[in-house]
């Protein structure tokens, strides 16, 4: 794995432990309610303890989360990291220094554990001590490292303790410009999925604050510990996520074509609401990132400027997960001048809306809804059916070396990124595809990413026979029921889909053998190796044209592969001489099929993968391949 691959996996791993922090914020917020007046005077203390406990054990959570994230959820690695943290804590507590484990320590032990796991998980010893071999050796070697690490830290404790505090002073000396630079870099790194690397340093390591005799480090823990100077590296993100990104979503909606506006409105209102409430921004940001990267740079600069402005105004606010309205409300009681974020956000929201509407129109930026192929789609209930198609567009399970997911994107290590069909993935709802080199790929599906990974994992694990279909032509895919012919629409010939062609070329959707070509060349049949018989019928009532306007490039008995040219046809002549251009692609022996999956019914390219997928019944596996 190359450096970028390591970094993207580390970025995801650092995000995992943060999923527990919203619970801590909620407990601390609820502890401020008037429980005594409700007859429950002991509740505030319990809630306060619950919230503080999560922060107190944050180093252990990070050690466990990083170890699990870097080893694809290997239980032995997570256990070894916890064991290492217990040993390390025991050693430093026995010293005469007032030391506490930090998040930095947890990350180090988690990383070292993952390295040891990959190195020693298959280690073999002589049979009489093989009990300690394999994954069971990992906790032993991690424990040994933790002992050494603990001793080193005790020796260097005063220096390191002071260094962290001095680092915070150095960062603070940068003033507003330092905060601006952080905000700008944070947004730029979102493109590569590496923003957690820089945010982790500022949120969990920079700056120290003493509370109840213990030191806490990092902007986020210090904010929740009551440090009035904390929150500088978080407050300015609220205007971006609560107002600026939703404003971009509204600009995209209002600049969409009238015929596509209802669908775009539904999609981007959802994306805007997600950004406003939870601070999940990628579905909106990736809608314009690839079509107007210069606009994304402007967005990053404005985001950094908002952070600078909030810093100079003395606004301090924080969050447990991200800068959305939920965190804003829960943590407002700890903020300094937090209410000012609302008017600032409204002003910048209006600025973003006007700027993006002008830029989209002035530079003719093809944002979703400006062209037929919208990058985002609303299809949460359709995930189990699209997962096989997404898997095919990635190149099949044979192309996947490692598959993980974070909140908004699939993070893949593939055998060859050249086998990935980016157009098909966007057709299936991906907001963007990022190649990081070395086979490392990120596919942005928004907050459905984890559900997609789960469904793809189920598809990979199931021992079933599946046949995937490419698009046989360039045009628009429609449901078979929309074909203006009662025989095809009623599925009397078979089950499948249909296409309205934009270009007069028919290509093979599958591997197989041409078993029949009609004399008029308006239709042909292909038998797949699994025994499926696929009929491709160009137009409706085109048999009456008696071959005029059709040219075949294959003959009966020819073996064909997906994307291979089969027939060329004259679209204007067919439009003039037949009932319709609708071209059904149906499986005539549909009794062999157990289940069907379809991509969205919209524009497709010739040879585009993942437009239809079928699972065969068990009795059809290994069928006639002649």
């Amino acid at each position: 794995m190359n450096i970028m691959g390591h970094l993207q996996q580390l970025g995801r791993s650092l995000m995992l432990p943060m999923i527990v922090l919203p619970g801590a914020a909620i407990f601390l917020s609820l502890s401020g309610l008037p429980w005594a007046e409700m007859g429950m005077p002991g509740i505030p203390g319990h809630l306060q303890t619950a919230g503080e406990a999560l922060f107190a054990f944050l180093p252990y959570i990070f050690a466990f989360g990083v170890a699990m994230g870097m080893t694809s959820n290997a239980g032995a690695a997570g256990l070894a990291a916890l064991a290492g943290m217990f040993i390390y804590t025991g050693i430093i507590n026995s010293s005469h220094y007032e030391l506490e484990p930090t998040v930095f320590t947890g990350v180090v032990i988690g990383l070292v554990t993952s390295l040891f796991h990959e190195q020693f998980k298959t280690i073999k010893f002589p049979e009489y001590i093989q009990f300690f071999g394999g994954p069971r050796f990992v906790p032993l070697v991690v424990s040994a490292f933790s002992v050494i690490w603990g001793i080193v830290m005790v020796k260097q404790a005063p220096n390191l303790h002071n260094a962290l505090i001095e680092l915070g002073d150095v960062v603070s000396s940068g003033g507003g410009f330092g905060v601006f630079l952080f905000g700008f870099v944070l947004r730029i790194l979102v493109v590569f999925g590496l923003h957690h690397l820089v945010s982790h340093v500022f949120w969990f390591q920079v700056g120290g604050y003493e509370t109840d005799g213990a030191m806490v480090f990092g902007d986020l823990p210090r904010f929740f510990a009551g440090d009035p100077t904390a929150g500088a590296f978080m407050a300015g993100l609220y205007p971006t996520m609560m107002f600026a990104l939703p404003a971009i979503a509204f600009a995209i909606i209002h600049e969409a074509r009238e015929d596509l506006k209802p669908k775009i409105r539904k999609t981007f209102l959802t994306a805007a609401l997600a950004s406003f409430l939870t601070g999940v921004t990628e579905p909106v940001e990736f809608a314009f990132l690839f079509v107007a990267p210069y606009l994304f740079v402007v967005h990053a600069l404005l985001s950094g400027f908002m952070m600078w402005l909030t810093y100079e105004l003395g606004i301090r606010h924080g969050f447990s997960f991200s800068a959305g309205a939920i965190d804003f409300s829960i943590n407002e009681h700890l903020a300094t001048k937090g209410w000012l974020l609302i008017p600032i956000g409204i002003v910048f929201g209006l600025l973003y809306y006007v700027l993006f509407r002008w830029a989209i129109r002035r530079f003719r930026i093809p944002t979703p809804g400006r062209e037929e192929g919208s990058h985002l789609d609303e299809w949460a209930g359709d995930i189990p059916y699209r997962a096989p198609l997404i898997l095919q567009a990635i190149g099949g399970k044979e192309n996947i070396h490692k598959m993980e997911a974070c909140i908004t994107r699939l993070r893949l290590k593939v055998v060859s990124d050249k086998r990935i069909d980016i157009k098909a993935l966007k057709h299936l709802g991906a907001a963007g595809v990022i190649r990081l080199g070395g086979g490392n790929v990120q596919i942005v599906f928004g907050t459905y990413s984890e559900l997609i990974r789960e469904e793809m994992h189920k598809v990979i694990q199931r021992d079933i026979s599946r046949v995937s279909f490419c698009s046989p032509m360039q045009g628009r895919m429609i449901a078979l029921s929309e074909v203006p012919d009662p025989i095809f629409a009623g599925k009397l010939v078979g089950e499948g889909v249909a296409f309205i062609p934009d270009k007069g070329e028919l290509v093979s959707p599958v591997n197989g053998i041409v078993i029949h070509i009609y004399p008029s060349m308006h239709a042909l049949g292909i038998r797949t190796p699994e025994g499926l018989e696929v009929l491709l019928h160009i137009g409706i009532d085109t048999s009456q044209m008696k071959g005029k306007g059709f040219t075949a490039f294959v003959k009966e008995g020819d073996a064909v592969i997906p994307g291979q040219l089969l027939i060329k046809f004259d679209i204007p002549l067919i439009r003039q001489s037949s009932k319709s251009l609708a071209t059904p692609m149906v499986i005539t022996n549909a009794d062999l099929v157990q289940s069907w999956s379809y991509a969205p019914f919209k524009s497709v390219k010739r040879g585009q993968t993942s437009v239809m997928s079928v699972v065969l019944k068990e009795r059809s596996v290994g069928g006639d391949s002649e």
Side-chain angles (χ1 to χ4, degrees):
M1 183 183 291
N2 63 4
I3 294 176
M4 288 296 289
H6 278 298
L7 290 177
Q8 75 153 338
Q9 191 172 8
L10 176 59
R12 172 188 175 273
S13 300
L14 290 173
M15 191 62 190
L16 285 176
M18 291 188 66
I19 63 176
V20 305
L21 293 182
I26 291 172
F27 291 145
L28 292 174
S29 179
L30 291 177
S31 68
L33 295 178
W35 294 100
E37 298 177 7
M38 293 185 281
M40 294 178 283
I43 295 298
H46 295 315
L47 292 173
Q48 185 81 14
T49 300
E52 291 175 351
L54 286 174
F55 282 104
F57 289 101
L58 205 56
Y60 302 86
I61 295 171
F62 267 91
F64 181 82
V66 170
M68 293 288 283
M70 296 293 289
T71 58
S72 299
N73 299 322
L79 181 62
L82 286 178
M85 281 298 299
F86 290 138
I87 293 171
Y88 169 84
T89 304
I91 291 176
I92 64 172
N93 284 346
S94 65
S95 71
H96 62 278
Y97 297 112
E98 294 183 357
L99 297 175
E100 293 289 340
T102 65
V103 168
F104 174 75
T105 304
V107 172
V108 169
I109 289 181
L111 278 173
V112 170
T113 300
S114 68
L115 294 174
F116 284 159
H117 181 269
E118 293 303 309
Q119 184 70 29
F120 299 117
K121 64 183 179 181
T122 58
I123 192 171
K124 295 181 180 179
F125 294 122
E127 186 175 352
Y128 51 87
I129 58 170
Q130 179 55 31
F131 173 81
F132 298 104
R136 285 185 291 270
F137 184 70
V138 177
L140 295 178
V141 68
V142 171
S143 298
F145 167 81
S146 298
V147 170
I148 298 172
W149 180 245
I151 294 172
V152 170
M153 290 297 287
V154 168
K155 297 294 185 182
Q156 298 296 322
N159 297 330
L160 294 172
H161 183 84
N162 294 331
L164 283 173
I165 297 176
E166 290 175 6
L167 179 60
D169 293 336
V170 170
V171 171
S172 298
S173 68
F177 181 74
V179 176
F180 160 80
L181 199 58
F182 167 78
F184 173 74
V185 172
L186 188 69
R187 294 260 62 79
I188 292 296
L189 289 180
V190 166
V191 178
F192 307 100
L194 304 178
H195 48 301
H196 304 309
L197 298 179
V198 66
S199 65
H200 180 269
V201 174
F202 287 88
W203 291 349
F204 293 100
Q205 296 177 34
V206 169
Y209 177 69
E210 187 172 354
T211 174
D212 298 329
M215 289 293 297
V216 292
F217 294 95
D219 207 40
L220 193 152
R222 288 192 293 116
F223 175 80
F224 283 99
D227 185 354
T229 66
F233 293 95
M234 295 182 284
L237 292 173
Y238 279 109
T240 297
M241 298 182 179
M242 289 176 59
F243 296 96
L245 271 302
I248 295 174
F250 281 107
I252 290 173
I253 291 170
H254 293 152
E255 288 300 321
R257 282 171 21 198
E258 287 301 321
D259 58 324
L260 296 177
K261 192 167 287 186
K263 179 180 178 181
I264 295 301
R265 181 182 294 113
K266 180 181 179 182
T267 297
F268 277 88
L269 282 179
T270 301
L273 189 62
S275 180
F276 177 77
L277 291 177
T278 68
V280 174
T281 63
E282 281 95 328
V284 177
E285 288 178 315
F286 277 80
F288 67 92
L289 167 62
F290 295 104
V291 294
Y294 52 87
L295 207 53
F296 191 89
V297 174
V298 173
H299 161 56
L301 289 169
L302 286 173
S303 182
F305 178 75
M306 276 186 274
M307 295 201 69
W308 191 344
L309 178 63
T310 57
Y311 175 85
E312 295 296 345
L313 291 175
I315 302 171
R316 302 293 182 266
H317 208 317
F319 46 77
S320 58
F321 170 69
S322 190
I326 295 174
D327 254 311
F328 179 87
S329 302
I330 291 174
N331 304 316
E332 171 60 19
H333 66 290
L334 297 173
T336 301
K337 300 182 181 178
W339 65 272
L340 283 174
L341 294 171
I342 302 299
I344 291 173
I346 292 173
V347 170
F348 273 92
L350 291 172
L351 173 63
Y352 263 75
Y353 177 79
V354 173
L355 172 64
F356 271 75
R357 283 206 69 174
W358 172 82
I360 291 170
R361 189 176 302 174
R362 172 67 176 80
F363 301 107
R364 298 181 180 180
I365 299 172
T367 49
R370 301 270 294 177
E371 56 181 12
E372 187 72 23
S374 172
H375 294 326
L376 296 174
D377 204 0
E378 187 64 35
W379 47 280
D382 205 23
I383 290 175
Y385 305 100
R386 292 204 200 182
L389 302 173
I390 294 171
L391 181 62
Q392 181 196 0
I394 291 171
K397 63 181 181 181
E398 300 82 8
N399 196 38
I400 297 177
H401 179 69
K402 183 181 292 186
M403 178 174 62
E404 297 172 332
C406 63
I407 295 172
T408 58
R409 60 188 82 191
L410 289 177
R411 296 173 181 260
L412 304 168
K413 169 75 172 180
V414 297
V415 176
S416 173
D417 59 10
K418 294 181 180 179
R419 294 169 61 182
I420 294 177
D421 190 331
I422 295 178
K423 289 182 180 178
L425 287 170
K426 290 184 177 181
H427 184 72
L428 291 165
V433 180
I434 308 163
R435 290 188 172 103
L436 296 174
N440 295 286
V441 179
Q442 297 177 2
I443 307 173
V444 181
F445 278 110
T447 51
Y448 298 130
S449 297
E450 182 61 36
L451 296 176
I452 292 171
R453 189 200 69 82
E454 290 292 332
E455 290 298 330
M456 287 174 60
H457 183 71
K458 291 177 184 178
V459 172
I460 292 172
Q461 292 298 313
R462 285 197 293 262
D463 184 18
I464 57 177
S465 180
R466 183 182 298 276
V467 181
S468 298
F469 290 76
C470 299
S471 173
M473 57 179 52
Q474 177 176 310
R476 180 167 58 90
M477 188 169 84
I478 62 174
L480 201 60
S481 59
E482 295 182 29
V483 175
D485 181 87
I487 295 177
F488 281 111
K491 301 180 181 180
L492 300 179
V493 177
E495 175 72 82
V497 294
F499 302 84
I500 305 296
D502 292 336
K503 191 174 182 180
E505 294 180 341
L506 180 75
V507 302
S508 177
V510 288
N511 285 305
I513 303 293
V514 178
I515 56 175
H516 183 63
I517 298 181
Y518 284 75
S520 56
M521 292 180 289
H522 73 288
L524 58 74
I526 299 173
R527 181 184 293 127
T528 72
E530 297 82 8
L532 294 177
E533 296 184 356
V534 183
L535 172 65
L536 297 163
H537 192 286
I538 303 171
I540 302 301
D541 292 343
T542 45
S543 60
Q544 300 175 6
M545 297 176 64
K546 300 183 179 184
K548 187 177 180 181
F550 296 91
T551 304
F553 288 80
V554 292
K555 60 182 183 300
E556 292 182 4
D558 284 354
V560 293
I561 60 174
Q564 180 177 336
L565 181 62
L566 302 176
I567 296 173
K568 283 190 174 184
F569 52 95
D570 188 332
I571 289 182
L573 183 60
I574 294 175
R575 184 180 287 114
Q576 178 182 352
S577 307
S578 67
K579 184 177 181 181
S580 170
L581 284 168
T583 300
M585 177 180 73
V586 298
I587 298 175
T588 57
N589 53 347
D591 58 306
L592 301 184
V593 177
Q594 177 177 311
S595 63
W596 306 72
S597 297
Y598 303 105
F601 295 110
K602 54 185 182 182
S603 295
V604 293
K605 300 294 184 182
R606 188 188 79 170
Q608 179 178 309
T609 60
S610 312
V611 297
M612 186 174 80
S613 175
V614 300
V615 174
L616 305 184
K617 295 179 181 177
E618 290 187 12
R619 66 184 181 86
S620 66
V621 177
D624 186 5
S625 61
E626 296 180 356

